Amino acid sequence: MNIEAALKEAMTIDGAIGAALVDYDSGMTLGTLGGGKDFDLEVAAAGNTEVVKAKARTLTSLGLDDVVEDILITLGTQYHLLRPLTRAHGSLFLYLALVRSRSNLALARHTLKRIEGILEV
């Protein structure tokens, strides 16, 4: 599955308002879908690179031999789900923003995991 198809698949998740594939080393997006005038997906994706990097640094500082499956940011009206991809994909993460009242968080996590497994970058 290429980047465009992966983002289209992510946007089929109930409540999805934006999806992106992001390089957390540079903060640049490799692709985006959704967002709009009320939600700048490029800005949100770039800002969330700091969250992913901070968590990776924390794991290293703690000496934990583990990986981050996903990071959830819960807002009053939205969920922001960050899924760092396996090292085989480099320094990338999938980013999905959801309307909280219309989404199923467990299903969103499951779908992003599935997309990761078939994504070809």
Side-chain angles (χ1 to χ4, degrees):
M1 175 180 284
N2 66 23
I3 295 170
E4 182 181 351
L7 296 177
K8 284 181 181 177
E9 180 75 16
M11 289 298 291
T12 66
I13 298 169
D14 285 343
I17 55 175
L21 182 64
V22 187
D23 179 340
Y24 61 82
D25 280 340
S26 67
M28 302 298 291
T29 58
L30 281 71
T32 62
L33 193 59
K37 67 178 178 71
D38 295 330
F39 183 68
D40 189 331
L41 193 53
E42 294 278 344
V43 171
N48 281 311
T49 62
E50 297 304 317
V51 174
V52 175
K53 286 195 262 188
K55 191 60 194 174
R57 282 192 307 269
T58 301
L59 285 178
T60 300
S61 296
L62 293 171
L64 296 177
D65 184 24
D66 213 339
V67 296
V68 175
E69 286 187 9
D70 52 41
I71 300 167
L72 172 64
I73 300 168
T74 305
L75 305 177
T77 60
Q78 297 177 358
Y79 290 130
H80 291 228
L81 193 55
L82 317 174
R83 182 166 183 91
L85 304 184
T86 61
R87 281 286 164 207
H89 288 102
S91 59
L92 302 178
F93 70 94
L94 283 167
Y95 171 49
L96 179 65
L98 302 154
V99 173
R100 188 172 171 168
S101 63
R102 295 190 348 235
S103 60
N104 178 322
L105 191 54
L107 183 58
R109 290 183 67 220
H110 175 76
T111 303
L112 285 186
K113 181 179 182 178
R114 186 178 55 72
I115 291 169
E116 175 187 6
I118 57 177
L119 176 65
E120 294 178 12
V121 180

